[in-house]
Amino acid sequence: MVVPSKVKTGHLDDIQELRRVQPSVVPERYVRENEEQPAQSMVCTSLEVPVINMQNLEGDCGYQELARLTAACQDWGFFQVVNHGIEEGLLDAMEVVAREFFMLPLEEKEKYPLAPGTIQGYGHAFVFSEEQKLDWCNMLALGVEPTFIRNPKLWPTKPENFSETLELYSAKVRSLCQRLLIHIAQTLGISSETFNQMFGEAVQAVRINNYPPCARPDLVLGLSSHSDGSAITVLQQDTACVGLQVLKDDTWVPVKPLPHALVINIGDTLEVLTNGKYKSVEHRAVTNQDRERLSIVTFYAPSYDVLLGPLPELVTQNEPTKYKTYNHGEYSRHYVTSRLQGKKTLEFAKIPTIN
């Protein structure tokens, strides 16, 4: 996918280097406006996102777990999955190579630059102006499947087993996404293969986020509030500290890490396909004063040439069509050329309401 490259971003710090050289400094471009500052937000630590047991979902009494999945999709748009079938050793290995990459010298990481206005490589993504507030995060973003979306020059050669591990990991996550979409279709009362058949050669990308400690976590965001443009997103987070927060009823709910669990969220694409029955949810990452945090995020979406719109089975007289039909590649271009700003990118797909 081609995106504009002539973008003026101004100076972009490497956060790890900034933290190493000036640990107490937080440049002004990272200090959020009052309403965005974590210290000004309503946070509820007593709520927890649902946990779905994939083994139960695919077992003899799957209907009980399916009911839990239905509620999770409808009420939260976020849930964690356990007993998902991806080996713990592979999850650990992926975390190790990701962490080793971020520990490399800056000059090594800069061999894989995320150029302004592009979406693959190492650096800052979704930066489109010199005035824009920045996230307290370094990231490595890579296209995975289909192979034509890859930029091989941006796949790190160090650590030596990085590419091999990512290939194995991504294949397992791809299979998990396909299984999840079968069950999500079942919760909607439609054919279980609806999404997998519709998506064609599904697009899969990975983004590995490193959130260094920050002297003022009350003032900055690790990642701006946003919803995902994907169909579903799979997130692996380390257990060092809580960083991911989900917006529910105007309150931020921390997603507490469970060892070897994976966090799943509904993306904009499923919101459109379900005609709003299941909604994508705003989420963000906050930082920690003392601890570094790592997350590995996989985005799974239809092929770029697929036409998307509400499924006819989910459009009724009481629930008329809320979203237009569009080419998924067109929406993907719109998403990756917009800064992260809540659910604003989804306005692209909405049919204006007439008052």
Side-chain angles (χ1 to χ4, degrees):
M1 189 189 332
V2 177
V3 296
S5 58
K6 293 183 179 179
V7 175
K8 292 183 178 180
T9 63
H11 175 71
L12 301 176
D13 293 290
D14 183 276
I15 305 300
Q16 285 174 291
E17 287 299 299
L18 176 64
R19 171 73 185 182
R20 183 179 64 83
V21 177
Q22 297 177 293
S24 63
V25 171
V26 178
E28 187 61 30
R29 279 196 78 182
Y30 295 88
V31 177
R32 296 289 171 148
E33 303 299 334
N34 282 345
E35 65 275 9
E36 283 192 300
Q37 292 177 5
Q40 307 300 321
S41 304
M42 292 282 292
V43 177
C44 178
T45 57
S46 61
L47 287 175
E48 294 190 12
V49 301
V51 177
I52 302 298
N53 188 323
M54 290 289 289
Q55 204 168 56
N56 292 346
L57 193 60
E58 295 168 342
D60 294 337
C61 297
Y63 65 92
Q64 294 176 335
E65 205 68 18
L66 196 66
R68 295 188 184 96
L69 178 61
T70 305
C73 291
Q74 197 154 9
D75 300 339
W76 282 86
F78 257 85
F79 51 94
Q80 300 202 59
V81 291
V82 296
N83 294 325
H84 43 65
I86 302 180
E87 298 86 349
E88 293 181 0
L90 181 55
L91 297 176
D92 293 340
M94 188 64 231
E95 184 176 323
V96 166
V97 294
R99 205 175 294 282
E100 287 178 349
F101 172 79
F102 284 106
M103 290 171 62
L104 292 171
L106 179 60
E107 57 267 24
E108 179 67 30
K109 292 180 286 189
E110 287 183 334
K111 292 178 181 178
Y112 315 102
L114 197 160
T118 66
I119 55 173
Q120 294 193 49
Y122 171 78
H124 282 72
F126 300 101
V127 182
F128 299 101
S129 76
E130 297 177 87
E131 297 77 30
Q132 184 178 332
K133 292 294 184 181
L134 300 177
D135 295 331
W136 193 265
C137 175
N138 291 329
M139 66 175 61
L140 175 67
L142 300 169
V144 178
E145 296 289 349
T147 53
F148 72 80
I149 73 168
R150 296 187 185 191
N151 185 339
K153 293 180 180 179
L154 297 178
W155 280 57
T157 57
K158 294 181 181 178
E160 289 184 1
N161 58 338
F162 181 93
S163 293
E164 178 187 358
T165 305
L166 180 58
E167 292 270 20
L168 292 170
Y169 178 84
S170 295
K172 293 289 188 177
V173 172
R174 191 174 185 85
S175 176
L176 173 62
C177 289
Q178 293 164 351
R179 288 159 55 208
L180 282 166
L181 286 171
I182 287 173
H183 298 303
I184 290 172
Q186 291 170 342
T187 68
L188 294 162
I190 60 178
S191 170
S192 60
E193 290 295 340
T194 296
F195 297 125
N196 287 325
Q197 289 176 355
M198 175 191 298
F199 283 14
E201 193 172 11
V203 173
Q204 184 175 347
V206 66
R207 189 175 71 212
I208 306 173
N209 302 311
N210 174 273
Y211 302 99
C214 179
R216 294 299 306 272
D218 55 320
L219 300 181
V220 310
L221 286 175
L223 194 61
S224 301
S225 172
H226 66 287
S227 62
D228 293 337
S230 57
I232 54 175
T233 300
V234 179
L235 177 140
Q236 177 181 343
Q237 56 178 344
D238 67 19
T239 56
C241 58
V242 179
L244 175 63
Q245 295 183 340
V246 176
L247 189 63
K248 182 171 176 58
D249 302 327
D250 298 321
T251 300
W252 291 102
V253 178
V255 180
K256 299 164 188 173
L258 300 175
H260 297 115
L262 295 169
V263 181
I264 312 297
N265 65 276
I266 302 293
D268 295 344
T269 296
L270 269 192
E271 176 168 336
V272 171
L273 289 171
T274 64
N275 200 34
K277 184 177 178 66
Y278 295 163
K279 290 182 169 57
S280 61
V281 176
E282 285 185 53
H283 51 286
R284 68 181 187 182
V286 295
T287 61
N288 188 280
Q289 191 165 3
D290 305 307
R291 295 182 178 178
E292 178 184 68
R293 179 173 169 266
L294 180 82
S295 67
I296 303 159
V297 190
T298 299
F299 304 98
Y300 189 85
S303 172
Y304 290 134
D305 59 3
V306 171
L307 280 178
L308 297 176
L311 295 171
E313 305 97 305
L314 301 176
V315 176
T316 66
Q317 188 171 359
N318 293 330
E319 295 291 340
T321 303
K322 299 172 184 173
Y323 306 88
K324 64 183 183 182
T325 298
Y326 57 88
N327 174 274
H328 181 243
E330 184 184 358
Y331 182 65
S332 293
R333 281 189 293 275
H334 169 71
Y335 187 92
V336 301
T337 55
S338 304
R339 70 186 183 95
L340 300 181
Q341 192 176 8
K343 292 188 66 170
K344 191 170 183 180
T345 51
L346 190 57
E347 292 175 10
F348 167 96
K350 289 184 176 178
I351 295 175
T353 54
I354 300 174
N355 295 325

